Amino acid sequence: MTKTHEIVIDKVKESKINSIDFSNLTFGKTFTDHMLECTWRDGEWHTAEIKPYGPIQVEPSCKVFHYGQAIFEGMKAFKDGEGDVFLFRPEDNWIRFNESAKRLAMPEVPKEVFMEGLKKLVNLDKEWVRYGEGLSLYLRPFMIASENGVAAAPGTEYKFMIIMSPAFAYYKGDVRVIIASEFSRAADGGVGYAKAAGNYAASFYPNNLALEEGYQQIIWTDAASHEYLEEAGTMNIFVRIGDKLLTAPNNDRILNGVTRRSIMQMAKDHGITVEERRVSVKELTAAANDGSLKEIFGTGTAAVIVPIKGYKHEDFKFELPTLESSYATLLMGALKDIQYNRAEDQHGWRVKI
């Protein structure tokens, strides 16, 4: 056991990496040799530990099971052609993680625990980061209320953990969506802007209904009127009308996506006009009917960019045109070039391990 900057490291005796088929990965099913765990108790964070990946022991009365105090982040590490490993905008994830923690009455995680723990963990398992188009290491920091007891109050003990999973493609095949006119993802004053576990659980039932109709995801609309586009499944949403790229503005219902902000900057770097404003379903349908609707795509860490091939809203159906030169392809390529260290990082987003 070695202790470095308050992080205790216990290495596995033998790696399981040689048993993994990296050409046949299912997203989020395979995990690396190590994980990080740090406990908040008695009003303070205790020593962080990096140890072999494995089960954690909790009691049935653990508060996360009863009151849903659980938050997470999604991040990635990338390897370039020289074998160097990079994180992408990790400090943005740390900031957002603590915004989520505050909203769910959970303790904020210190920067030295989150950032240094993340770097040491990735460095320890860096052989799991494979080089190749689409290959990455998906990083999942999360925190749960680990106190025992069923009193309806915030926990007094929490576990912060990081696990890591080698990843390839998230979505496969064409993606078509239903625009929500009944169910809502989030409401004013709620936790929609936080990466709270319950946000995603609440979306599973309406998404299953969409799947039964042959659609892979839902474009969520505002809860008050269902008139304005907000998010696309687990992703932020972009719409191209004419030569303009439109995206919903941040509010307390919409996740402040790191990939979203990156794509907006990439678009501006390429001279594309970007507008952050409300986009109504009526405007979308009018653009579909007059031929000015060129693209719809979702953005997120796991998927990066997912082009949407078609949508349905109530009785209206529309198939997006096939473009020789799409914004989605251009911007995904530009972002990946930065992530894989193939292009200059003029915004300082890469962090070398």
Side-chain angles (χ1 to χ4, degrees):
M1 303 280 280
T2 60
K3 189 171 182 179
T4 308
H5 301 299
E6 301 300 314
I7 299 174
V8 175
I9 300 176
D10 179 15
K11 295 183 180 180
V12 296
K13 293 180 180 179
E14 184 177 352
S15 175
K16 60 189 176 187
I17 193 169
N18 292 330
S19 67
I20 305 302
D21 181 2
F22 283 86
S23 65
N24 188 29
L25 293 170
T26 299
F27 184 84
K29 286 290 189 179
T30 301
F31 295 91
T32 66
D33 291 320
H34 298 92
M35 64 184 187
L36 179 141
E37 181 177 338
C38 190
T39 299
W40 190 86
R41 186 189 301 117
D42 300 326
E44 64 180 5
W45 288 101
H46 294 257
T47 300
E49 300 176 80
I50 292 176
K51 57 187 182 181
Y53 176 89
I56 58 173
Q57 186 172 354
V58 294
E59 294 188 18
S61 59
C62 185
K63 278 201 171 182
V64 67
F65 300 141
H66 302 273
Y67 302 112
Q69 271 188 297
I71 60 172
F72 68 94
E73 274 295 321
M75 311 167 64
K76 280 183 176 179
F78 303 88
K79 181 171 283 185
D80 69 7
E82 302 299 317
D84 292 322
V85 175
F86 299 86
L87 301 177
F88 182 73
R89 305 188 70 169
E91 192 163 321
D92 293 79
N93 292 95
W94 167 66
I95 292 169
R96 189 173 65 181
F97 190 85
N98 281 338
E99 290 173 351
S100 299
K102 283 188 285 187
R103 182 61 183 85
L104 270 73
M106 305 171 84
E108 296 181 45
V109 177
K111 186 175 183 179
E112 58 268 25
V113 174
F114 190 102
M115 295 293 293
E116 292 308 311
L118 189 67
K119 291 175 183 178
K120 292 181 186 302
L121 183 62
V122 173
N123 187 57
L124 190 60
D125 282 348
K126 63 184 178 183
E127 292 305 313
W128 289 79
V129 191
R130 293 303 172 97
Y131 172 69
E133 189 64 30
L135 289 170
S136 63
L137 186 64
Y138 183 78
L139 318 175
R140 172 53 64 89
F142 66 98
M143 180 162 54
I144 62 170
S146 53
E147 178 194 3
N148 299 319
V150 294
T156 61
E157 180 180 303
Y158 296 87
K159 282 190 182 296
F160 167 67
M161 303 187 69
I162 305 174
I163 56 178
M164 308 191 299
S165 176
F168 192 56
Y170 187 70
Y171 288 103
K172 295 179 180 179
D174 292 343
V175 175
R176 290 175 174 80
V177 299
I178 289 179
I179 298 179
S181 57
E182 178 183 358
F183 295 99
S184 300
R185 177 189 175 274
D188 292 342
V191 297
Y193 71 92
K195 283 193 76 74
N199 288 345
Y200 299 82
S203 73
F204 294 159
Y205 172 67
N207 197 69
N208 281 346
L209 297 180
L211 287 169
E212 289 175 3
E213 290 192 52
Y215 294 86
Q216 288 70 46
Q217 272 294 352
I218 294 173
I219 291 183
W220 302 105
T221 50
D222 67 295
S225 67
H226 292 297
E227 292 180 6
Y228 296 93
L229 309 183
E230 296 212 321
E231 289 198 354
T234 58
M235 303 174 288
N236 292 115
I237 184 75
F238 284 84
V239 174
R240 176 185 174 185
I241 296 179
D243 291 330
K244 290 183 179 180
L245 200 56
L246 314 176
T247 189
N250 285 333
N251 55 43
D252 58 9
R253 301 181 305 276
I254 296 176
L255 186 72
N256 186 13
V258 176
T259 306
R260 170 187 177 273
R261 299 201 305 273
S262 304
I263 289 298
M264 290 174 64
Q265 185 60 58
M266 291 286 94
K268 293 172 184 176
D269 291 349
H270 284 81
I272 298 170
T273 300
V274 182
E275 293 183 3
E276 281 188 275
R277 65 170 176 83
R278 302 181 86 185
V279 179
S280 70
V281 180
K282 288 182 180 179
E283 180 182 3
L284 189 75
T285 301
N289 285 325
D290 69 21
S292 60
L293 177 59
K294 304 298 183 184
E295 297 180 69
I296 305 173
F297 56 85
T299 64
T301 297
V304 187
I305 289 181
V306 176
I308 292 170
K309 300 291 290 184
Y311 77 86
K312 174 188 174 184
H313 178 249
E314 297 178 344
D315 294 328
F316 181 79
K317 295 181 181 180
F318 182 74
E319 288 290 304
L320 276 296
T322 300
L323 304 178
E324 288 186 9
S325 180
S326 70
Y327 285 177
T329 300
L330 171 68
L331 298 175
M332 177 180 275
L335 185 59
K336 283 186 173 183
D337 283 346
I338 292 176
Q339 292 173 330
Y340 287 100
N341 195 27
R342 297 190 295 243
E344 180 185 357
D345 178 18
Q346 60 181 339
H347 303 292
W349 290 339
R350 281 194 304 262
V351 175
K352 187 176 180 180
I353 295 297

